[in-house]
Amino acid sequence: MSTSPSIRASDRAADPARPSDGRASAGARAPVTGLDIGGIRLSNRLLLAPMAGVTDRPFRSLCRRLGAGMAVSEMLSANPALSGSRKSRERADHRDEPGPIAVQIAGANPQWLADAARANVDQGAELIDINLGCPAKKVCRAAAGSALLRDEPLVARILEAVVAAVPVPVTLKTRTGWSPHTRNLPRIARIAREAGIAMLAVHGRTRACGYGGSAEFDSLRALRAEAGLPAEFPLVANGDIDSPERAAQVLAYTGADGLMIGRAAQGRPWLFRAIDHYLATGEHLPPPSSHWICTTLISHLEELYRFYGTARGVRIARKHIGWYLRATATPDQGRRPVHNSPRASGGNAAQAADEHPAPPDALHTRQIHLDRINRVETPEQQTRLVRALFEEAADLEDAA
């Protein structure tokens, strides 16, 4: 199996379904179909990836409204000692959320994971996802997440226990291996299939890669043949899918059945709608206006205030504001690699926005607004400053 870090130039030349100019040809466009996961039929093939500190109920609901076929919850620890914590209660809150309700669980104890799966199904989960990909040190120190990739027999016991515990589909999100020298994705895929896993999502990096460099898709492209997976077993590609063109390229190159989008949706929840339209038509939707983005962001902030309470909501909102500003500061609506975006669980508006600076003539004004946004303590102050910032951008659009 090739271990190249990305879709290689030589593969582009050899693969007529993946044009070298970065645009999807008629042959590369995916048919407009949904994705079937263990009998659950999604409206399309686009999934919001679970991200700690990001994919809470307000963000999941927003992404569903803007085109995601399914949104997976933040990772829930299977440790029973943590089940009553505020974090666990919030992550398990799916009130008024559009279905299917998908919950990701993490841990290294098969019985704990089976119990956690049952508990979440009892609370309304319609799909259980098992985390085999989180590279965070605190997760791997507990032998969970991507650390499990080094213990294939334990992976088999976990998957078998969870599948046997619940009557709903169980899926698996994984990486290509622990390190570039120990990739074991085909063996993990065979274990998953034999255990009754209903779908496999593959992030095209190893645990050692973290989120650095570029995701590679050679591993996924070869997986069905190498692991002996039947054509009906759904495979989902994940990693650096940050534009409609990239989505079409990855589908055509890998033969994947669906796409899972994570960091690229931070501050751009409309990305799902844009990708869905492009895959169906080969054409781009018009970029959203500053007025529309401002309205969407304000609505998102109001949901955060309601969900977390005003004090915590204001603090949590800061990183989202920064991500929205990053997207609007990029002329092509953010179609840049996002390998070095701020950690999903932290950051503020300035940290989230500073990697894609605005043009020099707008930088000073924007920085003043960001500093103010990061100091205010009430929703009224925060939303007023956000409106002022986007009104400036809208005035510039109108003048142009």
Side-chain angles (χ1 to χ4, degrees):
M1 179 187 300
S2 168
T3 58
S4 64
S6 61
I7 299 176
R8 301 167 299 181
S10 60
D11 287 323
R12 286 199 299 267
D15 187 356
R18 187 183 187 281
S20 60
D21 66 359
R23 293 185 177 274
S25 69
R29 289 202 297 273
V32 184
T33 59
L35 181 64
D36 189 284
I37 306 174
I40 294 177
R41 186 71 177 177
L42 306 187
S43 59
N44 61 30
R45 302 194 289 171
L46 306 177
L47 291 72
L48 172 65
M51 293 178 284
V54 180
T55 55
D56 52 20
R57 193 185 75 195
F59 190 66
R60 293 195 304 270
S61 297
L62 178 59
C63 289
R64 287 299 313 280
R65 182 165 61 84
L66 295 179
M70 187 171 78
V72 186
S73 75
E74 299 174 83
M75 177 181 66
L76 267 169
S77 173
N79 186 338
L82 302 176
S83 62
S85 68
R86 181 177 69 177
K87 180 184 291 186
S88 293
R89 291 196 307 271
E90 289 174 346
R91 292 184 175 186
D93 187 337
H94 301 280
R95 285 173 295 175
D96 301 320
E97 184 176 344
I101 305 299
V103 174
Q104 186 183 74
I105 58 176
N109 183 303
Q111 187 59 54
W112 287 2
L113 283 156
D115 291 342
R118 276 191 291 265
N120 279 280
V121 170
D122 289 344
Q123 294 174 21
E126 300 167 82
L127 181 146
I128 297 294
D129 184 67
I130 299 175
N131 185 306
L132 206 64
C134 180
K137 290 181 180 179
K138 67 178 182 180
V139 174
C140 290
R141 278 198 297 266
S146 56
L148 289 168
L149 292 168
R150 297 182 294 181
D151 192 340
E152 294 173 14
L154 178 56
V155 170
R157 294 197 299 274
I158 287 172
L159 302 188
E160 290 166 1
V162 175
V163 169
V166 293
V168 303
V170 178
T171 62
L172 180 66
K173 187 172 189 291
T174 188
R175 290 189 169 224
T176 60
W178 176 256
S179 73
H181 304 294
T182 58
R183 285 191 172 96
N184 59 342
L185 178 61
R187 293 197 299 275
I188 293 295
R190 282 194 291 270
I191 291 170
R193 177 63 181 168
E194 291 168 2
I197 291 297
M199 183 199 79
L200 181 65
V202 179
H203 184 133
R205 290 179 171 90
T206 67
R207 188 271 170 182
C209 295
Y211 294 99
S214 299
E216 60 92 1
F217 296 100
D218 291 344
S219 297
L220 183 57
R221 185 183 193 187
L223 181 60
R224 203 175 291 277
E226 291 188 347
L229 301 177
E232 63 272 15
F233 183 74
L235 295 175
V236 172
N238 175 229
D240 299 351
I241 300 168
D242 58 1
S243 71
E245 293 93 342
R246 184 65 168 170
Q249 292 166 0
V250 169
L251 281 174
Y253 184 78
T254 63
D257 303 288
L259 300 171
M260 183 171 276
I261 299 165
R263 290 172 296 155
Q266 294 172 358
R268 286 196 300 158
W270 57 87
L271 179 61
F272 295 97
R273 178 184 293 173
I275 290 175
D276 194 31
H277 182 81
Y278 187 78
L279 293 178
T281 67
E283 299 177 351
H284 287 288
L285 286 172
S289 68
S290 291
H291 289 293
W292 185 90
I293 294 173
C294 182
T295 300
T296 300
L297 173 53
I298 295 297
S299 176
H300 187 181
L301 299 184
E302 290 172 347
E303 288 300 317
L304 291 172
Y305 305 147
R306 280 191 286 268
F307 187 73
Y308 292 107
T310 56
R312 289 179 63 220
V314 165
R315 293 194 297 272
I316 290 168
R318 290 169 184 164
K319 62 190 174 189
H320 288 280
I321 294 168
W323 289 326
Y324 278 84
L325 295 178
R326 178 190 67 187
T328 56
T330 304
D332 60 1
Q333 293 303 312
R335 286 182 213 135
R336 301 184 186 184
V338 291
H339 309 310
N340 300 315
S341 60
R343 291 177 63 87
S345 57
N348 56 32
Q351 291 172 328
D354 62 6
E355 346 166 330
H356 300 301
D361 58 345
L363 185 59
H364 179 66
T365 300
R366 191 178 68 145
Q367 189 60 49
I368 291 173
H369 280 292
L370 288 173
D371 291 341
R372 290 174 178 168
I373 287 169
N374 286 330
R375 289 198 303 268
V376 299
E377 298 294 337
T378 70
E380 294 77 15
Q381 293 171 326
Q382 192 171 64
T383 55
R384 184 170 64 249
L385 288 171
V386 166
R387 289 186 191 279
L389 187 56
F390 277 91
E391 283 171 2
E392 285 187 8
D395 288 343
L396 290 174
E397 288 179 359
D398 293 340

